[in-house]
């Protein structure tokens, strides 16, 4: 029986080439997209879940009570809280600090490489599943000059025999000094959200950063390993109690434990510190978009299959009279759709394989389609079954219901319901297509907006260079040399980057500070006196720091937002308490965006201290960027011959904030193109079939004198009405969804009518062309041909 | 074998009923060869379809081998189709995508006949109908008479108790028609019950009984000696 079915399915496939082609092209494209998306979703999903102790690893977070009753959640915690959690609580088995990864130049003899890494202790390797390949990682806890490096870094530095040659060797780290390689660990897997090529002794970090030992400094991050069965909420409460003993405030900060594996996808919290989402929303959006594409091409399949159903009706009638049950007919037609899906999946796998390198470039991932993996086949088989059912269930249901008495006498009565469904599906396709197109457009516009927004601070033609001890020491010489170079306009030092202020304090007091303002954080930037000039930031009142003035270090400059929060009238000359000592406000700087556009402008204080400022900024003339850069390189060679130069453009750096948005924009464009293509493919199939069915009517009308123009109108009208309806319904839906998306930003474009009208117009134009092509062909055909066929 | 009592059939068009069959009562015994005749539109096809369980009357009762067909569910009807009935159509109704061999084989597939046995049965019938040479052709490569031969072969391959034929020779030349009628006669001689619809008096003479329909009534029911 099965053979009989497949034979029929196969012969139908061959005999109805156009029909099969439309289905296979449509399905394989959308299946390829689905498959690739599935790989991506799976990769996102598996991120950080590979740690064997995953269930017991928690990231410690800190909650801050703000004005009103709301809570803010921060990743930063004081290091002593981490350490105390382990020593005081039996259910905390281990803790490790999590350093921010940074890029560093590592030198072994003449060989210098750039790699990123951070500090850590041996518990780091006990908590996480990063296997040690050779050496003794506990040395990280015992020796200040111990470092563990990745297999990859070891191979780069010590060649293929790294296993024998690396351990015990000294490497020179340009910013942090000399270290001895004590252990080598396997490269962190691709789906680890943390990527470190070196981990140096936490003791070294600690001795250079004694602030980490303060109970009130939340500049550290960390993870805990809890005992099996420990209640995370209760443990968090106990840690919070420990923490509270060291805070002398009325509104104390709290502790929250989040599963380490959840941190990556669920990084956002609401005002009650409950998880609201995060990256997971992107994962879901793209998962849904891929599903929508799959649905669009399944709709094509359903529509074409039901449109063609009358052609198969006779066969159904005959089979029923010779004893076919409904079930066996359903099976037969499911096998037919299964066969088309099967071929499409084959093609889709080929397409995916070919597209994967490009997809990896776009998504910045290392996805691979590994067909020898059983899980892969589970995925493929599920897609296969899902698609076969989505596409085949309804047509087989319709077909198997035909009654022989109707179909064999040739008097099939058209059931009106079926047509409504077919029309409804076309309408739905274009709703989805419009949603994807408008989505692509709006996301693109918002990304453009972000890139080009006037932040109130200049980010163009600026490069930033991480400042190490050498640079700080020779800063004056360096600056003098640089200013002599052609194209270099100015040089300054700032830290942290004023476009992404990452250092804050709640240690500011002012007359009239309310109790509920206790925890308000003020961002801090350390600057040199020429800060405003280099970044083109205007002063609202007062003055900025004077060059060479030591007196100015007891002064402070705020931005407008800070003054607004403190509610100080005529601020210049007034005094605030800064970490317990008075500072006079000498100036107010106009507000500029000092964080991502997801966030409102933060209150900020600008301090004078060029030694604590971590970044060197070099501003070049608009038209002489490359001249300035070669000047920069030459200067470094002459002034600091041993310090390798690594610079980044500030505007490129700024775009990295919006990696997800830029990715969304790119992917949305692909989805938009595919969705309109697939929808029109379906339309092409339907109109072909429609024209075929109506060929006799067309011929008669033509003989009666209808012009080609009339005929095209007659044939296209209905389809275009459906497309139009779909677009009309799609507009408010996409409006709603996109304005919702835009709400995640604090600063956005306005949705404009043209953003909906243009895609709608485009969609209808493409649809008209698709249908028009087919109907013109039908309309200009020789009427004798189809009349004679009767 | 067949027992119809007071079968009525009408179609509604708007508020009006248009009658197709009125008060049909009929007994057909096993081994009979019945011919239904009548003017176009007199309800012959409808009656045959009701007997063949493709259609139902609006009123009346129908017993097939003493089972109440009017109470059957679809499943049971399918069973009866599978095991007791064979259909031959005026327009042949072969499955276009299947070869002659496969068309004939299909009913056996629905009966789950084993591979070996199936091959033997199909080979046998191809031989008997003299169409072995045509077995790998598709229906559109055959003449009308040949197609109908395949149609008959397919109808009887499952050894049905009852063969129903609606104007089986309607689309055929006289010669081909005669061939089909001779085939029917042979089948009848071998013991098969046959009910056919035809317009040709000559074809009726192959059978044992003629039922004439007029406007939905049985006008005449005669045995042929
Ligand atoms: N599905 C239907 N709907 C309405 N009327 C029908 C339908 N099928 C058949 N008829 C009518 O029933 C009558 C009998 O049809 P039929 O049994 O096919 O006649 P015959 O086979 O004797 O030519 C005809 O008048 C036909 O118009
Ligand atoms: Mg008839």
């Amino acid at each position: 029986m099965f053979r009989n079915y497949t034979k029929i399915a196969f012969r139908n496939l061959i005999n109805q080439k156009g029909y099969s082609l439309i289905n296979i092209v449509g399905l394989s494209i959308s299946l390829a997209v689905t498959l690739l998306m599935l790989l991506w979703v799976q990769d996102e999903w598996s991120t950080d879940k590979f740690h064997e102790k995953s269930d017991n690893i928690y990231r410690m977070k800190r909650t801050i009570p703000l004005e009103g009753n709301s809570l803010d959640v921060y990743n930063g915690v004081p290091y002593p809280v981490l350490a105390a959690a382990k020593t005081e609580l039996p259910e905390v088995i281990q803790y490790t600090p999590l350093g921010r990864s940074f890029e560093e130049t590592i030198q072994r003899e003449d060989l210098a490489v750039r790699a990123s890494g951070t500090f850590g202790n041996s518990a780091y390797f006990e908590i996480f599943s990063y296997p040690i390949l050779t050496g003794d990682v506990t040395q990280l806890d015992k020796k200040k000059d111990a470092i563990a490096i990745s297999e990859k870094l070891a191979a780069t530095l010590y060649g293929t025999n790294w296993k024998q040659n690396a351990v015990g060797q000294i490497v020179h780290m340009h910013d942090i000094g000399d270290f001895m390689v004590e252990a080598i660990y396997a490269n962190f897997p691709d789906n680890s959200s943390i990527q470190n090529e070196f981990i140096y002794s936490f003791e070294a970090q600690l001795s250079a950063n004694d602030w980490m030992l303060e109970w009130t400094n939340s500049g550290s991050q960390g993870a805990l390993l809890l005992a099996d069965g420990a209640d995370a909420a209760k443990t968090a409460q106990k840690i919070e109690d420990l923490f509270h003993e060291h805070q002398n405030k009325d509104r104390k900060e709290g502790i929250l434990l989040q599963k380490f594996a959840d941190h990556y996808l669920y990084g956002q919290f609401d005002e009650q510190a409950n998880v609201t989402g995060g990256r997971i929303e992107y994962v879901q959006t793209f998962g849904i978009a891929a599903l929508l594409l799959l649905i669009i091409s399944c709709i094509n399949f359903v529509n074409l299959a039901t449109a063609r159903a009358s052609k198969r009706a006779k066969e159904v009638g005959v089979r029923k009279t010779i004893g076919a049950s409904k079930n066996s007919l359903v099976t037969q037609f499911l096998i037919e759709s299964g066969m088309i899906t099967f071929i499409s999946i084959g093609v889709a796998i080929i397409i995916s394989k070919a597209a994967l390198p490009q997809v990896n470039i776009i998504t910045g991932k290392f996805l691979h389609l590994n067909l020898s993996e059983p899980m892969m086949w589970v995925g493929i088989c599920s897609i296969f079954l899902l698609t076969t059912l989505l596409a085949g269930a309804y047509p087989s249901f319709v077909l198997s219901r035909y009654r022989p008495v109707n179909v064999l006498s040739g008097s099939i009565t058209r059931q009106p319901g079926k047509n409504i469904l077919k029309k409804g599906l076309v309408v739905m396709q274009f709703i989805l297509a419009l949603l994807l197109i408008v989505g692509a457009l709006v996301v693109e516009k918002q990304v453009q907006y972000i890139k080009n927004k006037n932040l109130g601070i200049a980010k163009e033609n600026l490069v930033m260079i991480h400042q190490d001890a050498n640079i700080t020491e020779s800063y004056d010489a360096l600056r003098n040399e640089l200013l002599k170079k052609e194209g270099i306009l100015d040089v300054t030092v700032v830290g942290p980057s004023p476009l992404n202020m990452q250092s804050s304090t709640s240690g500011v007091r002012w007359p009239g500070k309310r109790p509920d303002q206790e925890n308000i954080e003020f961002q801090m930037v350390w600057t040199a006196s020429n800060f405003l000039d280099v970044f083109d930031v205007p002063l609202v009142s007062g003055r900025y720091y004077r060059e060479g003035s030591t007196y100015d270090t007891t002064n402070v400059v705020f931005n407008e937002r800070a003054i607004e929060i403190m509610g100080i009238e005529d601020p210049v000359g007034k005094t605030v308490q800064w970490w317990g000592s008075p500072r006079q406000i000498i100036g107010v700087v106009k507000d500029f965006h000092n964080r991502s556009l997801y966030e409102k402008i933060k209150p900020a204080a600008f301090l004078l201290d060029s030694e604590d400022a971590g970044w060197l900024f070099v501003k070049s003339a608009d038209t002489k960027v490359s001249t300035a850069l070669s000047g920069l390189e030459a200067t470094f060679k002459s002034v600091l011959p041993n310090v390798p130069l690594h610079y980044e453009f500030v505007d490129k750096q700024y775009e990295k904030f919006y990696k997800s948005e830029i990715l969304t924009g790119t992917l949305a464009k692909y989805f938009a193109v595919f969705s309109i293509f697939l929808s029109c493919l379906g339309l092409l199939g339907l109109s072909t079939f429609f024209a075929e069915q109506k060929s006799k009517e067309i011929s008669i009308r033509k003989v009666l004198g209808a012009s080609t123009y009339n005929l095209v109108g007659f044939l296209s009208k209905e389809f275009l009405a459906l497309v139009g309806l779909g677009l009309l319904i799609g507009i408010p839906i996409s409006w709603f969804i996109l304005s919702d998306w835009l709400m995640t930003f604090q600063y956005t474009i306005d949705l404009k009518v043209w953003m909906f009208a243009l895609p709608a117009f485009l969609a209808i134009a493409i649809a008209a062309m698709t249908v028009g092509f087919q109907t013109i062909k039908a309309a200009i055909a020789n009427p004798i041909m189809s009349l004679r066929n009767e | 074998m067949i027992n119809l009592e007071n079968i009525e059939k009408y179609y509604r068009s708007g508020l009006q009923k248009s009658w197709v069959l009125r008060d049909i009562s009929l007994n057909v015994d096993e081994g009979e060869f019945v011919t239904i005749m009548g003017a176009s539109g007199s309800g012959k096809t409808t009656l045959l379809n009701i007997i063949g369980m493709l259609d139902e009357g609006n009123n009346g009762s129908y017993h097939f081998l003493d089972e109440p067909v009017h109470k059957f569910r679809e499943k049971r009807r399918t069973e009866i189709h599978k095991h007791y009935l064979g259909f031959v159509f005026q327009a042949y109704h072969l499955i276009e995508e299947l070869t002659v061999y496969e068309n004939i084989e299909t009913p056996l597939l629905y009966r789950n006949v084993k591979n070996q046995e199936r091959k033997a049965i199909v080979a046998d019938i191809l031989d008997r109908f003299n169409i072995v040479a045509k077995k790998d052709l598709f229906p559109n490569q055959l003449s009308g008479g040949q197609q109908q031969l395949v149609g008959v072969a397919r109808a009887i391959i499952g050894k049905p108790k009852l063969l129903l034929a609606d104007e089986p020779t309607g689309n055929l030349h006289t010669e081909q028609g005669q061939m089909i009628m001779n085939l029917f006669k042979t089948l009848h001689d071998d013991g098969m019950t046959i009910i056919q619809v035809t317009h040709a008096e000559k074809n009726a003479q192959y059978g044992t009984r003629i039922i004439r329909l007029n406007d939905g009534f049985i006008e005449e029911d005669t045995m042929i000696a």
Side-chain angles (χ1 to χ4, degrees):
Chain A
M1 195 81 264
F2 185 77
R3 262 188 52 211
N4 186 281
Y5 291 159
T6 47
K7 236 184 290 185
I8 281 234
F10 188 70
R11 286 177 194 158
N12 269 315
L13 203 74
I14 302 289
N15 290 343
Q16 315 279 330
K17 284 197 189 63
Y19 169 78
S20 312
L21 206 66
I22 285 181
N23 274 328
I24 291 174
V25 168
L27 277 177
S28 24
I29 289 178
S30 52
L31 283 170
V33 174
T34 309
L35 206 60
L36 290 169
M37 265 304 128
L38 217 61
L39 283 179
W40 183 73
V41 169
Q42 143 75 16
D43 185 86
E44 289 284 314
W45 190 253
S46 66
T47 296
D48 290 342
K49 297 209 167 76
F50 61 91
H51 299 294
E52 280 155 37
K53 297 169 186 160
S54 187
D55 284 345
N56 295 333
I57 309 175
Y58 288 83
R59 198 182 245 276
M60 191 187 284
K61 297 194 172 185
R62 180 175 53 111
T63 59
I64 306 181
L66 297 179
E67 288 167 280
N69 268 328
S70 66
L71 291 174
D72 229 357
V73 178
Y74 284 81
N75 292 329
V77 293
Y79 169 74
V81 181
L82 271 174
K86 188 196 164 188
T87 43
E88 303 292 323
L89 303 175
E91 65 266 42
V92 178
I93 298 175
Q94 261 311 356
Y95 79 96
T96 186
L98 297 170
R100 198 186 284 273
S101 300
F102 61 96
E103 276 215 351
E104 169 69 304
T105 304
I106 302 157
Q107 193 155 355
R108 179 214 153 209
E109 292 162 15
D110 288 343
L111 181 65
V113 296
R114 280 297 264 189
S116 103
T118 187
F119 54 84
N121 56 12
S122 68
Y124 191 88
F125 295 90
E126 184 187 332
I127 296 173
F128 301 117
S129 299
Y130 301 130
I132 302 297
L133 301 178
T134 179
D136 175 15
V137 79
T138 59
Q139 297 298 330
L140 285 180
D141 305 338
K142 297 171 193 157
K143 293 168 56 190
K144 269 189 196 169
D145 69 343
I147 191 168
I149 62 176
S150 74
E151 180 184 350
K152 183 175 153 217
L153 182 58
T156 326
L157 289 173
Y158 299 98
T160 41
N161 279 338
W162 54 266
K163 216 163 196 166
Q164 288 75 44
N165 300 342
V167 174
Q169 299 295 309
I170 305 287
V171 288
H172 175 67
M173 318 274 286
H174 275 263
D175 290 347
I176 51 176
D178 287 347
F179 285 86
M180 183 183 280
V181 177
E182 293 290 357
I184 294 167
Y185 52 83
N187 296 328
F188 286 12
D190 291 336
N191 58 358
S192 168
S193 66
I194 299 178
Q195 292 291 337
N196 286 316
E197 294 193 59
F198 61 84
I199 303 277
Y200 64 89
S201 159
F202 177 58
E203 297 301 317
Q205 174 71 12
L206 213 49
S207 59
N209 297 274
D210 48 5
W211 56 263
M212 290 185 87
L213 292 170
E214 296 168 16
W215 278 85
T216 49
N217 193 314
S218 297
S220 306
Q221 298 189 20
L224 300 179
L225 178 66
L226 300 191
D228 279 333
D231 182 327
K234 278 188 194 140
T235 311
Q237 187 57 53
K238 288 185 207 163
I239 298 171
E240 189 170 302
D241 293 343
L242 291 172
F243 186 26
H244 281 179
E245 287 171 25
H246 295 267
Q247 299 181 44
N248 53 357
K249 311 187 188 182
D250 292 330
R251 293 162 60 81
K252 291 188 166 59
E253 300 176 353
I255 290 295
L256 185 131
L257 292 182
Q258 184 181 27
K259 271 259 173 67
F260 183 79
D262 288 346
H263 168 76
Y264 178 70
L265 286 177
Y266 299 90
Q268 277 175 12
F269 296 83
D270 66 9
E271 301 193 329
Q272 264 65 56
N274 296 314
V275 168
T276 54
R279 208 180 153 83
I280 186 72
E281 289 159 35
Y282 284 98
V283 175
Q284 283 164 348
T285 307
F286 287 123
I288 290 170
L291 197 66
L292 291 185
L293 275 194
L294 190 60
I295 289 175
I296 288 181
S297 49
C298 286
I299 288 180
N300 283 348
F301 190 101
V302 170
N303 269 346
L304 288 176
T306 43
R308 254 174 27 111
S310 54
K311 285 196 168 175
R312 301 297 300 275
K314 194 188 90 179
E315 181 187 337
V316 171
V318 172
R319 285 185 182 269
K320 281 197 172 173
T321 60
I322 58 181
S325 64
K326 226 188 231 168
N327 285 344
S328 69
L329 287 165
V330 169
T331 313
Q332 179 185 344
F333 291 115
L334 278 180
I335 286 174
E336 292 197 9
S337 57
M339 184 176 268
I340 287 190
T341 314
F342 185 77
I343 295 172
S344 306
I345 283 209
V347 179
I349 290 176
I350 297 169
I351 296 177
S352 314
K353 277 241 173 206
L356 208 51
Q358 191 59 35
V359 171
N360 278 337
I361 291 173
I362 295 170
T363 57
K365 295 244 174 206
F366 303 93
L367 306 174
H368 32 80
L369 193 72
N370 189 354
L371 291 177
S372 58
E373 219 171 276
M375 270 320 284
M376 195 67 228
W377 285 105
V378 172
I380 289 177
C381 289
S382 328
I383 299 181
F384 171 75
L385 288 178
L386 176 75
T387 313
T388 302
L389 284 178
L390 267 181
Y394 181 73
S396 25
F397 176 69
V398 168
L399 278 166
S400 64
R401 264 194 335 172
Y402 277 126
R403 298 183 61 208
V405 61
N406 295 331
V407 293
L408 293 180
S409 60
S411 69
I412 295 190
T413 43
R414 290 227 163 275
Q415 287 141 291
K418 239 170 35 194
N419 271 331
I420 285 181
L421 183 95
K422 195 152 61 198
K423 286 175 187 167
L425 289 177
V426 172
V427 170
M428 193 160 113
Q429 269 185 325
F430 279 86
I431 295 177
L432 299 181
L434 185 81
L435 179 61
L436 290 170
I437 301 170
V438 175
L441 187 79
V442 171
V443 172
E444 170 72 21
K445 281 278 147 201
Q446 174 70 13
V447 169
Q448 286 294 335
Y449 171 80
I450 291 167
K451 281 189 191 166
N452 301 329
K453 181 168 171 52
N454 183 356
L455 300 176
I457 178 169
K459 61 182 189 309
E460 287 74 27
N461 306 322
L462 264 174
V463 296
M464 54 197 284
I465 298 151
H466 189 253
Q467 192 174 221
D468 64 11
N470 297 317
I471 298 181
T472 313
E473 236 164 63
S474 2
Y475 173 62
D476 289 331
L478 202 59
R479 179 160 191 268
N480 286 334
E481 274 308 303
L482 284 169
L483 289 177
K484 285 184 203 154
K485 297 283 187 241
E486 195 195 343
I488 294 183
L489 295 183
D490 209 346
V491 176
T492 191
V493 283
V494 188
S497 167
L499 286 106
N500 185 20
M501 297 191 182
Q502 287 292 359
S503 198
S504 64
T505 178
S506 56
V508 186
R509 322 209 118 257
W510 60 91
K513 186 175 184 178
R514 297 193 311 269
D516 68 347
Q517 290 179 319
E518 183 169 8
N519 290 310
I520 283 186
E521 298 268 337
F522 287 75
Q523 304 298 318
M524 303 177 285
V525 249
W526 286 270
T527 62
S529 53
N530 62 343
F531 171 76
L532 297 186
D533 303 331
V534 174
F535 288 94
D536 281 337
V537 177
L539 202 59
V540 177
S541 57
R543 63 172 178 87
Y544 207 67
Y545 300 101
R546 291 203 182 99
E547 198 172 344
S549 160
T550 46
Y551 169 76
D552 264 351
T553 49
T554 57
N555 293 336
V556 63
V557 173
F558 286 108
N559 67 356
E560 291 171 297
R561 178 78 188 120
I563 298 296
E564 186 190 334
I565 284 175
M566 295 188 285
I568 303 178
E569 309 239 340
D570 297 326
V572 176
K574 302 265 164 69
T575 304
V576 297
Q577 292 293 316
W578 183 274
W579 292 344
S581 31
R583 285 201 186 209
Q584 195 184 24
I585 304 174
I586 55 165
V588 179
V589 159
K590 189 161 178 50
D591 276 343
F592 59 84
H593 288 278
N594 48 19
R595 286 288 196 97
S596 77
L597 295 183
Y598 287 118
E599 297 169 75
K600 286 224 164 77
I601 293 172
K602 302 263 174 189
F606 301 82
L607 307 166
L608 180 66
D609 184 347
S610 51
E611 307 220 330
D612 271 352
W615 296 88
L616 187 66
F617 284 81
V618 178
K619 188 179 183 85
S620 58
D622 215 358
T623 50
K624 290 183 178 157
V625 177
S626 53
T627 322
L629 286 179
S630 31
L632 174 66
E633 274 160 22
T635 312
F636 257 76
K637 273 212 185 89
S638 66
V639 180
L640 293 164
N642 294 322
V643 179
L645 171 65
H646 288 283
Y647 58 81
E648 261 184 296
F649 282 94
V650 173
D651 43 7
K652 290 271 160 6
Q653 166 75 21
Y654 172 76
E655 282 177 16
K656 284 185 189 163
F657 280 148
Y658 306 105
K659 249 165 60 187
S660 310
E661 283 68 37
I662 293 172
L663 175 65
T664 310
T666 315
L667 291 184
K669 264 182 264 174
Y670 282 97
F671 277 107
V673 170
F674 286 141
S675 69
I676 189 76
F677 173 74
L678 291 174
S679 304
C680 285
L681 201 63
L683 220 47
L684 179 71
L686 273 186
S687 56
T688 309
F689 180 79
F690 186 69
E692 210 175 278
Q693 247 188 351
K694 297 261 165 165
S695 63
K696 196 169 151 197
E697 187 176 340
I698 294 169
S699 306
I700 293 170
R701 281 172 186 258
K702 216 168 165 178
V703 172
L704 293 179
S707 68
T708 303
Y709 178 77
N710 294 143
L711 287 173
V712 171
F714 157 71
L715 290 166
S716 317
K717 210 172 49 203
E718 190 182 334
F719 285 113
L720 295 185
L722 294 179
V723 172
L725 182 63
L727 297 175
L728 273 181
I729 301 175
I731 287 173
I733 296 178
S734 40
W735 185 290
F736 178 77
I737 292 176
L738 286 163
S739 46
D740 198 52
W741 177 74
L742 285 174
M743 296 242 281
T744 58
F745 294 88
Q746 293 288 345
Y747 305 92
T748 65
I749 53 166
D750 292 323
L751 289 177
K752 297 268 169 46
V753 171
W754 72 264
M755 294 174 186
F756 299 85
L758 184 72
F761 176 77
L762 211 72
I764 205 140
I766 297 174
M769 271 177 347
T770 315
V771 177
F773 167 74
Q774 198 48 50
T775 51
I776 287 170
K777 216 173 90 187
I780 59 179
N782 187 344
I784 303 303
M785 297 304 284
S786 62
L787 288 181
R788 202 167 38 200
N789 278 345
E790 285 302 304
Chain B
M1 176 184 211
I2 289 165
N3 176 251
L4 302 177
E5 260 168 67
N6 310 107
I7 292 286
E8 293 189 324
K9 177 80 180 175
Y10 52 81
Y11 291 102
R12 274 179 208 284
S13 53
L15 289 175
Q16 272 196 322
K17 284 179 184 174
S18 67
W19 291 91
V20 181
L21 295 176
R22 292 166 184 261
D23 200 26
I24 301 279
S25 295
L26 179 68
N27 274 305
V28 177
D29 291 331
E30 263 181 74
E32 280 195 86
F33 184 169
V34 180
T35 304
I36 302 173
M37 301 193 75
S40 206
S42 57
K44 305 182 294 292
T45 299
T46 310
L47 179 58
L48 200 72
N49 283 341
I50 289 176
I51 293 173
M53 297 171 214
L54 300 178
D55 204 352
E56 284 164 285
N58 300 89
N59 296 309
S61 69
Y62 171 20
H63 287 84
F64 182 80
L65 295 171
D66 297 329
E67 285 187 77
V69 176
H70 52 278
K71 289 180 185 159
F72 280 179
R73 291 169 170 274
E74 166 143 3
K75 217 167 179 165
R76 182 70 191 134
R77 267 202 298 272
T78 301
E79 285 299 301
I80 300 271
H81 279 148
K82 216 177 345 189
H83 295 294
Y84 297 103
L85 300 184
F87 288 89
V88 177
F89 305 97
Q90 177 176 0
Y92 330 129
H93 288 332
L94 300 180
I95 298 174
E96 302 291 338
E97 285 76 24
L98 295 181
T99 63
V100 166
Y101 185 97
E102 291 157 355
N103 261 292
I104 297 175
E105 178 193 34
T106 305
L108 299 181
L109 295 173
Y110 285 120
R111 283 168 179 74
N112 294 323
V113 177
K114 296 239 163 45
N115 194 15
Q116 286 301 321
E117 198 183 341
R118 209 166 62 222
K119 277 187 180 151
I121 299 174
V122 178
D124 189 47
I125 211 156
L126 285 170
D127 200 30
R128 206 169 122 201
F129 282 32
N130 219 350
I131 45 176
V132 179
K134 309 258 183 299
K135 73 176 169 55
D136 292 325
L137 298 183
F138 286 92
N140 58 14
Q141 297 168 302
L142 300 177
S143 74
Q146 289 164 337
Q147 287 193 50
Q148 194 59 301
L149 218 50
V150 177
V152 176
R154 185 182 64 188
I156 63 160
I157 190 146
K159 299 204 167 53
K161 281 197 154 22
L162 175 63
L163 182 66
L164 299 165
D166 192 353
E167 305 194 34
T169 61
N171 286 4
L172 300 181
H173 303 301
T174 329
E175 228 171 282
Q176 294 171 326
Q178 266 175 16
M179 177 182 72
I180 297 295
M181 287 321 296
N182 282 324
L183 194 56
F184 275 22
K185 190 161 169 25
T186 326
L187 291 170
H188 175 236
D189 290 344
D190 291 348
M192 191 172 290
T193 313
I194 299 176
I195 302 180
Q196 69 164 345
V197 169
T198 185
H199 282 298
E201 285 293 342
K202 213 173 89 196
N203 291 346
Q205 298 310 318
Y206 288 86
T208 58
R209 179 178 172 188
I210 298 178
I211 293 171
R212 284 183 205 279
L213 285 186
N214 187 8
D215 240 357
F217 288 104
I218 296 185
E219 188 186 53
E220 190 189 319
D221 187 348
T222 47
M223 295 294 180
I224 300 174

